[in-house]
Amino acid sequence: MKMIGTIIVHSVVQGGPGFPFFSPAVFSYLWSGSVDAAVQRLNIDDCASPQCKEIVLKIMNTQDVTSLLKDSPECMDVMAECGLTTTLTNDNKTSCIQAILFHDAIGKTKASLDQLREGLGCLGFLDKMRKYPSLFEELFVFQESSLSVSKVLGAINIPGTMDECEHQVASFLTDFILESSLDTLKKFLTFVTGRPCLPSFGLQKMDLKFADGESGSIFASTCLCEITLPKTFKRKDDFFMSLEAVIDTNGKSFNCF
């Protein structure tokens, strides 16, 4: 796991992806090394074990938890596995739930997470995580809703000087993004950058360029994060239809037409 941490660091510092597959609670433990910081962000979705999740839900939804000791012997088994030696009561059920969640989400894999943290320490990466945890969270925590129209528009570097035709095509592109669904935005980003996410997690811009002459091809260089548009489009509908066709038929090459 130490090697995996080192690989993640080198990927990020060279502009590549992080490893956005951890829960917020696990990420809190990674950057802080603190059990308390992790416990504060634990929730039922952190349970990896269906049995633990079922027991936690039972404890949460039962008014008199003492009945569980008789009706659900598996509850005692889970508590024993988590190292809990106290008897479950209505007064301590919150702390028991936290202990079960922590054991299932972090405790079982704590040794591996500690090795991962050791790998993240190379190049001073972990020190920066401790100082700016909110900036690093997107690199480690999956966020389905992190992509938005405004973020995609903000990541496009539109030339400051353009002629009339270029201004018109640039406005077509802006309208296309404004009217796009999340799925279409991901297709557009894959076409331009090779990945369905913002380049370098929004730290790198995508350059908009225009083709010389009468070329009608829409071209993207994923290596350079560039999209080149022809200046020949006169109608927005034609532009939309052409760009949609290109991103829908986008192949797996580094430079896509």
Side-chain angles (χ1 to χ4, degrees):
M1 292 298 289
K2 178 180 178 181
M3 180 60 68
I4 293 176
T6 303
I7 291 172
I8 293 173
V9 171
H10 283 275
S11 172
V12 172
V13 299
Q14 294 181 55
F19 197 76
F21 300 101
F22 296 108
S23 70
V26 174
F27 170 71
S28 293
Y29 181 76
L30 286 176
W31 73 259
S32 69
S34 167
V35 170
D36 291 337
V39 168
Q40 290 176 11
R41 302 189 71 180
L42 282 172
N43 62 61
I44 188 66
D45 293 327
D46 289 311
C47 274
S49 165
Q51 183 186 20
C52 284
K53 189 170 186 176
E54 181 182 355
I55 294 300
V56 168
L57 288 173
K58 281 184 177 180
I59 296 174
M60 291 173 61
N61 298 325
T62 302
Q63 288 187 342
D64 184 9
V65 294
T66 56
S67 63
L68 291 176
L69 302 179
K70 294 184 298 182
D71 301 337
S72 300
E74 63 272 16
C75 180
M76 293 292 294
D77 296 335
V78 170
M79 290 180 63
E81 180 185 338
C82 297
L84 290 170
T85 58
T86 58
T87 301
L88 178 64
T89 66
N90 290 327
D91 292 332
N92 68 6
K93 76 174 189 177
T94 299
S95 60
C96 288
I97 288 173
Q98 289 179 338
I100 295 172
L101 289 175
F102 177 80
H103 174 75
D104 195 57
I106 297 175
K108 288 180 178 179
T109 58
K110 185 175 181 298
S112 296
L113 292 175
D114 287 339
Q115 292 175 8
L116 183 62
R117 292 188 74 246
E118 190 176 351
L120 293 174
C122 75
L123 304 179
F125 190 85
L126 187 57
D127 291 335
K128 294 298 183 182
M129 284 180 65
R130 293 191 192 100
K131 192 172 183 180
Y132 308 105
S134 61
L135 295 180
F136 283 81
E137 184 160 345
E138 190 174 354
L139 297 173
F140 292 91
V141 178
F142 177 72
Q143 299 175 345
E144 178 64 38
S145 61
S146 62
L147 188 63
S148 67
V149 167
S150 60
K151 287 185 178 180
V152 174
L153 284 175
I156 298 177
N157 186 24
I158 298 177
T161 302
M162 296 181 289
D163 60 29
E164 184 177 349
C165 292
E166 291 170 345
H167 267 292
Q168 180 171 257
V169 173
S171 69
F172 290 164
L173 177 62
T174 299
D175 290 343
F176 178 85
I177 293 173
L178 286 172
E179 298 175 25
S180 291
S181 64
L182 180 62
D183 184 58
T184 301
L185 290 177
K186 289 180 178 179
K187 289 181 180 180
F188 173 78
L189 290 171
T190 300
F191 175 68
V192 181
T193 72
R195 297 192 298 267
C197 58
L198 296 173
S200 299
F201 295 88
L203 300 177
Q204 182 180 355
K205 295 285 188 178
M206 295 175 285
D207 289 325
L208 171 61
K209 296 185 178 298
F210 297 97
D212 296 327
E214 297 298 317
S215 172
S217 298
I218 297 176
F219 174 80
S221 172
T222 56
C223 295
L224 300 176
C225 288
E226 290 181 355
I227 180 170
T228 301
L229 302 175
K231 300 190 288 184
T232 53
F233 287 106
K234 304 299 181 184
R235 298 175 63 249
K236 185 167 73 171
D237 290 345
D238 293 337
F239 177 85
F240 276 30
M241 187 180 303
S242 297
L243 187 53
E244 286 172 353
V246 169
I247 65 177
D248 280 338
T249 58
N250 179 23
K252 296 182 178 180
S253 62
F254 285 101
N255 295 295
C256 310
F257 294 89

